[in-house]
């Protein structure tokens, strides 16, 4: 799908209200084999390092504040014979979780961030995202989620309705965590301290390009990637986990457009009045390899 802001913090932070743990921090490294450009001239790797950290601050039994920090850097060639561009994100997650009764609760989050090839605070580099997610408890092991996500991408406004659920099997071996169309994560406990899983990430964001030669009026890069992966998760300690992933990126692109080349609205995968002209060359889909360290608070 044509996708959305790369949420490093939001949908992880709200999972605490459907599960018996909270993900406090995560460090991940992603790399790919050399990917050929569509014309067959030149190749590029896609290499990413990401870090996120979040903390719940309990006010009372019905109200909890959520605060977090996230950053990542992606090194990729935007054209076959250009040097690598380092696309960076630095942001905060701030919000509140409210429990209304045993059935209904809600999370409201805001995400101010800088997304650019240069981390400086300016109007061109900044974006603002908002997430509302309502949780309905059907059973102790089954909860539904309904929400909406919006962000001020460089091409304009994106709005994504979210339908999700969390399910834990009666024997506690299988769990499914879905926030569609953004995320799907299913895991099965093979034996003590070892899980087999499959995951879908609908990743996407835009970056303002300060150092570029595409347009004298400015330019931005629009990242799209739909990643399907399988993984093994190892419990190194009670709180520290290691994920090893191998997968494939579908519909992947890092398109460059003029800064004033906009769309009226992006609703999930549908771009309204999209007459933009791409300024660079695309490279092909391909394999991805990822390693994650996850620190989890159990309660």
């Amino acid at each position: 799908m044509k996708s959305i802001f790369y949420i490093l913090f939001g949908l992880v932070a709200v999972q605490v209200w459907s599960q018996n743990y909270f993900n406090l921090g995560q460090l991940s490294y992603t790399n790919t084999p050399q990917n050929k450009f569509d014309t067959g001239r030149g190749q590029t790797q896609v290499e990413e390092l990401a870090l996120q950290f979040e903390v719940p601050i309990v006010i009372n039994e019905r109200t909890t504040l959520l605060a977090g920090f996230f950053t990542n850097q992606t090194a990729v060639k935007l054209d076959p014979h250009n040097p690598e561009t380092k696309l960076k994100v630095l942001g905060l997650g701030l919000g509140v979780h409210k429990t209304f009764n045993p059935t209904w609760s809600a999370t409201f989050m805001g995400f101010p961030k800088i997304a650019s090839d240069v981390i400086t605070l300016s109007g061109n580099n900044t974006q603002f995202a908002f997430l509302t997610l309502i949780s309905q408890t059907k059973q102790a092991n089954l909860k539904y989620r309904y929400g909406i996500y919006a962000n001020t991408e460089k091409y304009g406004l994106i709005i994504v309705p979210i339908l999700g659920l969390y399910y834990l099997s009666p024997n506690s071996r299988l769990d499914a965590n879905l926030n569609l169309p953004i995320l799907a994560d299913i895991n099965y406990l093979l034996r003590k301290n070892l899980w087999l899983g499959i995951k879908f990430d609908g990743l996407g964001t835009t970056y303002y390009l300060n150092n570029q030669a595409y347009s004298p009026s400015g330019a931005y890069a629009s990242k799209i990637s739909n990643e399907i992966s399988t993984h093994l998760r190892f419990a190194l300690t009670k709180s520290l986990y290691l994920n090893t992933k191998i997968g494939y990126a579908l519909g992947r692109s890092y398109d460059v457009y003029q800064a004033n080349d906009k769309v009226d609205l992006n609703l999930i995968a549908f771009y309204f009045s999209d007459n933009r002209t791409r300024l660079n060359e695309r490279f092909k889909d391909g394999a991805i390899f990822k390693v994650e360290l996850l620190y989890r608070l159990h309660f």
Side-chain angles (χ1 to χ4, degrees), residues 33-149:
Q34 290 289 342
N35 306 278
K36 292 184 178 180
F37 282 86
D38 287 346
T39 61
R41 298 178 298 110
Q43 301 178 93
T44 182
Q45 284 185 302
V46 182
E47 185 179 30
E48 181 181 275
L49 184 64
L51 172 67
Q52 66 183 70
F53 180 76
E54 48 261 7
V55 177
I57 304 170
V58 178
I59 304 301
N60 54 50
E61 63 181 12
R62 288 181 174 266
T63 304
T64 300
L65 300 181
L66 302 172
F69 160 86
F70 57 90
T71 184
N72 67 78
Q73 177 177 280
T74 302
V76 62
K77 289 184 179 180
L78 299 177
D79 269 305
H81 301 298
N82 287 354
E84 281 187 338
T85 298
K86 293 184 177 180
L87 304 172
K88 305 168 186 177
V89 171
L90 179 65
L92 299 174
L94 303 168
V96 62
H97 174 81
K98 292 286 295 183
T99 298
F100 302 111
N101 54 52
T103 300
W104 295 97
S105 62
T107 302
F108 308 96
M109 297 291 300
F111 307 97
K113 68 166 183 172
I114 297 171
S116 176
D117 58 341
V118 179
I119 296 296
T120 58
L121 189 60
S122 70
N124 288 329
N125 291 348
T126 55
Q127 300 178 28
F128 298 92
F130 303 93
L131 173 71
T132 297
L133 203 60
I134 298 170
S135 178
Q136 179 187 15
T137 300
K138 297 296 289 184
Q139 302 173 25
N141 65 333
L142 177 63
K143 304 189 181 187
Y144 297 136
R145 304 189 191 110
Y146 319 93
I148 191 164
Y149 167 83

Side-chain angles (χ1 to χ4, degrees), residues 194-267:
L194 177 63
W195 293 260
L196 174 67
I198 185 170
K199 187 172 184 178
F200 167 79
D201 278 304
L203 309 179
T205 189
T206 52
Y207 308 84
Y208 187 78
L209 300 176
N210 291 273
N211 300 321
Q212 56 84 31
Y214 291 101
S215 171
S217 59
Y220 65 90
S222 178
K223 171 189 174 181
I224 295 172
S225 185
N226 302 293
E227 299 177 2
I228 301 173
S229 63
T230 184
H231 62 265
L232 288 174
R233 175 178 297 162
F234 304 88
L236 303 180
T237 69
K238 182 179 178 180
S239 299
L240 188 63
Y241 297 81
L242 174 68
N243 287 344
T244 58
K245 297 184 179 182
I246 181 171
Y248 199 85
L250 298 169
R252 180 175 56 192
S253 63
Y254 286 78
D255 293 346
V256 176
Y257 302 99
Q258 288 186 4
N260 58 2
D261 220 349
K262 309 285 188 178
V263 303
D264 287 348
L265 175 68
N266 178 7
L267 182 61

